Amino acid sequence: PKTDIVFLKVHKSASSTVMNVLFRFGETHNLTFAFPIGGGNQLYYPHHFLARFVRGFSPKSPRRFNILCHHMRFLQPEVQKVVSSSAVYFSILRNPVQLMESSFVYYKGTSAFSRAHSLEEFLSQPYRYYNPTVSDSHYARNLMTFDFGFNPDGEVSAERVQLMLKAIEVSFDLLLISEYFDESMVLLKEMLCWDLDSVVSFPLNIRDSSTKSPLSDTMVEKIKDWNRLDWEIYTHFNRTFWERIDRDIGRERMQQEVKMLRERQAELARTCLQGMGSVAPKDIRDSSLQPLQHGNAKILGYNLKQGLDKETELMCRRLVTPELQYNSALYKKQFPQKRP
């Protein structure tokens, strides 16, 4: 199994669920994480990543970490200072239309979105609300482009788009697609030589459907237009994703792998969860499993079954622990407080 990994955690793209997979694997195999100084959950985002943002990094005696997976704005020369040269790089993409709809709800408090009553209103005159010079403007336009380290307000010429796609291709070994999450996990498992249980997950940081709104065709086109760079990245890597499946696995075997993954997930849901699925925030009984609520989104969570044996309880708890709680538990484990 490969243990040196860089995951570029793109915002609002099922990346919290992927992070849980990495947290669990890292914890069970005693791997080191490149944590932000101070133990937060972002590496000084939205600044471009620098090696010195990582706790325990020192240029004098460069220490290599196994897993780098916290939110960052990608800058490969700096990333290379904290991980081994053989590290596997991957990320996840999401259809920019759904991404924008999700961001508008989740990042409602940001400068670009706070004054617009609806996404429709924002898109009817984006420059009335959007100012590229404001520090949180990246949430409102070409968010994936920004997270990969590029300029979200750059011109959309064929040449520039090609250079950007090429740069991503050169840096990353695999780009997952969140709309095909199970297929993505199978590809990841193959690339990392992991077993099935390592990539099984329950969806984390997901919104209650009551806060989702359907989009008209006109809106869809406006979103694609406004996020043209993201759209170019997504359509290109969605195509290469399927090309890779055809080349490395084949559709038939992929179907079987996905079926096995879903069966295992259902089995774990029966073992671990009360009521088999996610519940509204107000119905989560264990406060340590309460996910962060943000913006106007309602983030769902889980209840574990009572009376599980110790080992099963631990396995189940890891699967449903929200990102912030899991992050701080692993941070404390890696940097234990010295007793006075």
Side-chain angles (χ1 to χ4, degrees):
K2 296 196 168 62
T3 52
D4 292 319
I5 294 158
V6 174
F7 171 53
L8 177 62
K9 186 173 187 286
V10 170
H11 287 75
K12 312 283 5 109
S13 304
S15 58
S16 295
T17 310
V18 179
M19 196 176 198
N20 176 272
V21 166
L22 296 173
F23 277 172
R24 283 175 6 234
F25 187 86
E27 185 178 19
T28 41
H29 294 81
N30 233 342
L31 304 177
T32 56
F33 289 90
F35 281 110
I37 288 171
N41 62 324
Q42 304 203 347
L43 288 151
Y44 291 76
Y45 187 85
H47 298 283
H48 272 104
F49 175 81
L50 295 174
R52 62 182 170 81
F53 296 161
V54 173
R55 172 154 184 193
F57 172 80
S58 138
K60 288 192 275 299
S61 57
R63 176 181 169 198
R64 303 284 183 216
F65 299 86
N66 298 118
I67 298 178
L68 175 60
C69 63
H70 290 71
H71 275 308
M72 62 170 157
R73 190 170 182 207
F74 191 65
L75 186 59
Q76 192 160 19
E78 286 290 317
V79 169
Q80 285 166 334
K81 295 176 185 176
V82 299
V83 294
S84 112
S85 57
S86 62
V88 175
Y89 287 69
F90 78 100
S91 185
I92 188 163
L93 304 172
R94 182 182 185 186
N95 185 317
V97 176
Q98 278 69 49
L99 179 68
M100 177 109 195
E101 189 272 330
S102 174
S103 298
F104 185 80
V105 177
Y106 200 81
Y107 300 116
K108 191 69 185 88
T110 59
S111 56
F113 291 152
S114 58
R115 298 193 331 278
H117 292 105
S118 64
L119 183 52
E120 209 158 349
E121 188 181 306
F122 174 85
L123 288 162
S124 64
Q125 296 174 287
Y127 283 107
R128 197 179 142 193
Y129 306 101
Y130 175 79
N131 174 356
T133 61
V134 179
S135 65
D136 63 4
S137 65
H138 57 279
Y139 290 116
R141 185 177 203 190
N142 289 316
L143 181 51
M144 293 192 287
T145 302
F146 183 88
D147 285 355
F148 276 94
F150 305 105
N151 175 9
D153 294 289
E155 52 151 355
V156 190
S157 65
E159 185 188 10
R160 198 164 169 280
V161 166
Q162 280 315 307
L163 284 170
M164 185 173 70
L165 296 176
K166 200 82 215 128
I168 296 173
E169 260 167 4
V170 167
S171 303
F172 288 84
D173 300 291
L174 176 63
L175 286 152
L176 309 176
I177 303 288
S178 65
E179 284 78 14
Y180 303 103
F181 192 81
D182 294 340
E183 290 84 352
S184 293
M185 288 301 102
V186 171
L187 278 182
L188 187 66
K189 169 175 87 76
E190 297 284 305
M191 182 178 74
L192 298 174
C193 307
W194 288 7
D195 61 8
L196 182 69
D197 269 16
S198 298
V199 297
V200 171
S201 60
F202 295 141
L204 295 176
N205 203 22
I206 52 166
R207 283 193 287 162
D208 182 25
S209 53
S210 68
T211 61
K212 295 180 184 171
S213 41
L215 301 168
S216 66
D217 294 352
T218 327
M219 282 276 284
V220 168
E221 289 313 313
K222 278 184 175 171
I223 294 175
K224 285 185 199 171
D225 250 10
W226 177 245
N227 297 283
R228 182 55 59 188
L229 292 169
D230 271 10
W231 185 249
E232 295 286 351
I233 290 175
Y234 178 77
T235 48
H236 175 82
F237 288 107
N238 185 20
R239 196 182 67 244
T240 59
F241 177 84
W242 291 101
E243 285 168 2
R244 181 169 187 146
I245 288 174
D246 290 336
R247 189 189 70 219
D248 296 353
I249 294 184
R251 300 281 169 120
E252 202 175 322
R253 192 178 136 224
M254 176 54 91
Q255 276 179 326
Q256 291 163 345
E257 292 274 352
V258 165
K259 186 166 172 273
M260 275 162 28
L261 183 67
R262 287 176 183 163
E263 280 167 1
R264 182 63 181 134
Q265 188 180 344
E267 188 185 334
L268 285 169
R270 285 192 294 274
T271 305
C272 297
L273 304 178
Q274 279 182 25
M276 290 288 292
S278 49
V279 296
K282 63 175 179 26
D283 298 324
I284 299 168
R285 295 196 190 89
D286 181 341
S287 60
S288 69
L289 297 177
Q290 184 67 257
L292 172 75
Q293 302 298 321
H294 198 76
N296 289 351
K298 246 203 224 144
I299 306 298
L300 303 175
Y302 297 93
N303 285 317
L304 289 179
K305 273 191 178 156
Q306 301 295 300
L308 298 169
D309 66 80
K310 228 176 162 165
E311 202 177 320
T312 310
E313 210 267 349
L314 179 63
M315 173 196 68
C316 293
R317 183 168 286 276
R318 283 174 173 163
L319 278 161
V320 299
T321 298
E323 182 183 323
L324 299 186
Q325 287 93 312
Y326 209 153
N327 183 59
S328 80
L330 291 174
Y331 183 81
K332 284 181 189 131
K333 200 171 166 181
Q334 193 164 310
F335 302 105
Q337 289 281 306
K338 292 179 181 62
R339 289 262 161 80

